[in-house]
Amino acid sequence: MGFFDWIIKLLSEYWMLFLEGSGYTLAMAISGTIIGFLIGLIVAIIKTTPTDPSVNPIKRAVVRFVGWILTVYVEVIRGTPMMVQALIIHYSLFARIGIHPLLSAIIIISVNTGAYMAEIVRGGIISVDKGQFEGAEAIGLRHFQTMFSVVLPQAVRNIMPSIGNEFVVNIKDSSVLSVISITELMFMSKSAGGTYVQFVPAYVICAAIYFIMTFTVTRLLRLVEKRMDGSDSYVICGSQSDYHSMIKVKGGDDGCR
Amino acid sequence: MSVIEVSHLRKVFGDNEVLHDISFSVNEGDVISIIGSSGSGKSTMLRCINYLEKPTSGQILFHGRDIASGDIRIPDYRAKVTMVFQSFNLFNNLTVLDNCTLGMRKVLGISRHQAEEAAVSHLATVGMDAYIKAKPRQLSGGQKQRVAIARALCMKPEVILFDEPTSALDPEMVGEVLNVMKLLASGGLTMIVVTHEMAFARDVSKRVIFMDKGVIEEDNTPDVIFNNPEKQRTREFLSRVLE
């Protein structure tokens, strides 16, 4: 039998395995990226909270202490392989208290992604022009109001490409979580190839599925970016030349008043 | 009583003392222009009044109360003594309308509907009410600055601080912004304007302060400053900028 015949044979016999494996992979990657992003957002917000002398001393001490703990979290998680983290955390803790491996895997991948996202979001926040903070503060907005209404929307828009990177990395790197007996795509491909000892065709199928998933995700995120940017055109409400004679459009959906 | 009183203000950055012992007061309805060379400390002083820079020593009194004392919260103070910047600092992620309503809703607690009504009327004052749906990146510099002025007006401030509002604009757009500022001045708004526009300082302001090397050299009526300055330095500066 030729190479392509093996691919067709494996696909027709084991499509369920590939499908199930893809399901696990996507479940881990999607939830890991979303939860990891939320963790990163919280960490970055705390780490960029001002601690200059004008802030009251108790709040400053708390922010600094929590910031220090978060630095340890980011450094330790970024500095060790996810596979090792999974083995340690799952077998020493989660497996013993009977947590399902998939939940275990989602927690591990989220915590791992969170550490990278924290730095990505922090980078996004400090890349927003300082004038945006000043413009908000000068009219009386408080730090967190400024963050949520002005700075974070711009920071998140700017880091969308990096978030996409993390998403793609998660789709691929979740394969290491087969060590805690998750039957994700990589594991399933190995099983499918094992029966006839035809590993290469099985892994080619596996690679193709990974590529389809990552390519789809990057395209979808592009669409999200476009949505965030909004339209390049805008409606002029009433007459441009003489604003006093503005034609009021009430109840129209163009947003004019 | 004066609205704002600056008393013995000093500001030091590292080893560099930018402001030495600045004192002056601002009464209701005053339009004060602050002129002087680049690096003379004009902008730093204005930023200290808005508390974007913390004074090293000295006080800023608002209706007689020290703003650093905690009697008034800094954000509440800033809503009353708001600022317009050289680089506009409009919120890039928000439309013109939302730029104006954000402060009213978050700081003053006004409902969205009422905030939008007020925003449109202030935008009409600056001639930008047709652009409520536009984002800042779609506007020209002069249009952005007029929106920034409307945003400041929306807070119903007692004082607006202008930090070189026309310095980042093309010459042909300077006029549209100055016209809006003249309109506000004639309406009785208290304004402190750091500016290089000598015609504005001479014709619109009630008082002109000339600053040099971190001190107030001369504080007088525009007539005296421009026609008969008391200090040699003032004369030199004016002869340079007026050619």
Side-chain angles (χ1 to χ4, degrees):
Chain A
M1 261 205 324
F3 180 74
F4 289 104
D5 299 323
W6 277 114
I7 287 187
I8 289 161
K9 187 174 169 64
L10 290 178
L11 267 179
S12 60
E13 277 182 33
Y14 297 118
W15 61 273
M16 266 303 291
L17 289 189
F18 288 112
L19 195 65
E20 196 190 325
S22 306
Y24 274 107
T25 294
L26 275 182
M28 288 191 291
I30 292 172
S31 32
T33 308
I34 293 171
I35 301 169
F37 170 67
L38 296 175
I39 295 173
L41 202 60
I42 293 164
V43 172
I45 289 170
I46 296 172
K47 290 190 82 167
T48 53
T49 302
T51 54
D52 53 90
S54 61
V55 181
N56 92 53
I58 298 167
K59 189 182 159 198
R60 198 162 77 216
V62 171
V63 170
R64 285 208 173 141
F65 179 70
V66 175
W68 181 81
I69 292 176
L70 294 176
T71 305
V72 172
Y73 155 68
V74 170
E75 295 303 331
V76 169
I77 296 294
R78 281 201 308 178
T80 53
M82 184 163 73
M83 193 199 277
V84 178
Q85 292 161 13
L87 288 168
I88 295 173
I89 299 173
H90 182 69
Y91 289 114
S92 72
L93 184 67
F94 291 164
R96 289 192 182 189
I97 55 175
I99 289 180
H100 187 276
L102 181 61
L103 183 58
S104 197
I106 288 173
I107 294 172
I108 289 159
I109 201 167
S110 302
V111 168
N112 192 282
T113 308
Y116 289 91
M117 289 284 196
E119 286 299 279
I120 292 171
V121 178
R122 198 172 66 86
I125 291 171
I126 57 184
S127 75
V128 172
D129 179 22
K130 210 169 160 256
Q132 297 286 305
F133 285 93
E134 291 189 344
E137 283 171 10
I139 57 168
L141 268 81
R142 288 164 167 78
H143 174 77
F144 288 106
Q145 292 174 327
T146 306
M147 273 309 237
F148 286 103
S149 300
V150 177
V151 177
L152 285 176
Q154 296 180 49
V156 170
R157 165 63 190 92
N158 292 342
I159 61 172
M160 280 305 285
S162 304
I163 293 174
N165 266 346
E166 280 301 305
F167 205 152
V168 166
V169 165
N170 278 343
I171 289 174
K172 297 184 296 174
D173 287 7
S174 58
S175 60
V176 303
L177 293 173
S178 61
V179 295
I180 56 169
S181 64
I182 303 287
T183 51
E184 45 67 52
L185 181 57
M186 182 70 196
F187 179 91
M188 289 302 209
S189 305
K190 200 191 283 177
S191 314
T195 327
Y196 301 102
V197 206
Q198 285 295 333
F199 289 107
V200 175
Y203 288 143
V204 168
I205 295 169
C206 171
I209 298 174
Y210 271 121
F211 182 77
I212 291 166
M213 291 197 287
T214 54
F215 190 74
T216 310
V217 161
T218 50
R219 293 298 108 174
L220 285 175
L221 287 177
R222 275 286 165 79
L223 283 180
V224 173
E225 281 185 41
K226 281 217 166 128
R227 276 296 279 281
M228 288 173 118
D229 285 342
S231 167
D232 275 337
S233 59
Y234 58 96
V235 188
I236 300 268
C237 303
S239 158
Q240 249 193 102
S241 51
D242 180 10
Y243 53 86
H244 291 298
S245 70
M246 175 177 111
I247 304 154
K248 292 207 177 189
V249 185
K250 285 253 174 179
D253 58 1
D254 58 357
C256 293
R257 298 172 57 90
Chain B
M1 191 166 52
S2 49
V3 182
I4 288 179
E5 192 177 340
V6 177
S7 165
H8 302 294
L9 172 67
R10 265 179 77 242
K11 178 67 187 176
V12 179
F13 291 113
D15 294 334
N16 185 14
E17 185 161 341
V18 183
L19 298 174
H20 326 266
D21 199 33
I22 300 277
S23 297
F24 70 100
S25 63
V26 183
N27 294 319
E28 202 183 321
D30 274 359
V31 177
I32 298 179
S33 291
I34 298 172
I35 60 172
S37 322
S38 298
S40 59
K42 309 182 297 292
S43 290
T44 306
M45 187 194 73
L46 207 65
R47 292 168 62 85
C48 283
I49 297 176
N50 188 258
Y51 221 64
L52 283 174
E53 301 289 352
K54 210 179 167 214
T56 306
S57 67
Q59 293 164 325
I60 312 286
L61 305 173
F62 179 59
H63 293 295
R65 287 185 303 178
D66 185 354
I67 59 166
S69 67
D71 282 357
I72 178 169
R73 298 185 60 130
I74 295 296
D76 298 333
Y77 164 75
R78 283 176 173 154
K80 291 190 161 63
V81 181
T82 184
M83 190 153 167
V84 170
F85 297 86
Q86 180 178 356
S87 50
F88 329 122
N89 295 350
L90 289 181
F91 309 133
N92 295 328
N93 58 318
L94 301 178
T95 62
V96 164
L97 186 64
D98 292 340
N99 261 278
C100 292
T101 57
L102 184 67
M104 286 191 277
R105 288 168 47 221
K106 302 280 176 182
V107 180
L108 305 180
I110 295 172
S111 73
R112 176 185 283 273
H113 179 74
Q114 281 181 310
E116 287 183 354
E117 299 265 291
V120 170
S121 89
H122 289 302
L123 283 165
T125 305
V126 302
M128 285 299 293
D129 52 343
Y131 295 85
I132 55 175
K133 295 298 285 176
K135 288 277 185 75
R137 67 183 144 93
Q138 295 159 329
L139 303 178
S140 73
Q143 290 176 324
K144 283 185 203 175
Q145 195 61 295
R146 287 188 281 146
V147 173
I149 292 171
R151 178 175 74 178
L153 288 173
C154 283
M155 303 309 290
K156 290 215 180 307
E158 293 183 36
V159 182
I160 299 186
L161 312 170
F162 291 85
D163 186 9
E164 303 198 23
T166 57
S167 299
L169 300 177
D170 291 340
E172 51 187 325
M173 291 174 180
V174 170
E176 65 186 58
V177 171
L178 289 181
N179 285 340
V180 167
M181 291 170 64
K182 279 179 202 162
L183 185 70
L184 299 181
S186 65
L189 181 73
T190 311
M191 297 159 65
I192 307 177
V193 186
V194 169
T195 187
H196 291 292
E197 293 295 326
M198 293 304 141
F200 179 87
R202 189 183 56 217
D203 302 336
V204 182
S205 48
K206 199 167 155 188
R207 243 165 77 204
V208 176
I209 292 178
F210 170 66
M211 280 182 73
D212 189 50
K213 297 185 178 126
V215 295
I216 293 182
E217 276 287 330
E218 199 162 346
D219 176 352
N220 217 321
T221 61
D223 184 45
V224 173
I225 296 269
F226 285 97
N227 299 325
N228 200 8
E230 287 165 3
K231 297 280 177 70
Q232 182 59 28
R233 285 199 175 282
T234 317
R235 218 166 291 148
E236 283 167 11
F237 171 76
L238 288 173
S239 69
R240 249 181 296 132
V241 294
L242 298 174
E243 279 141 332

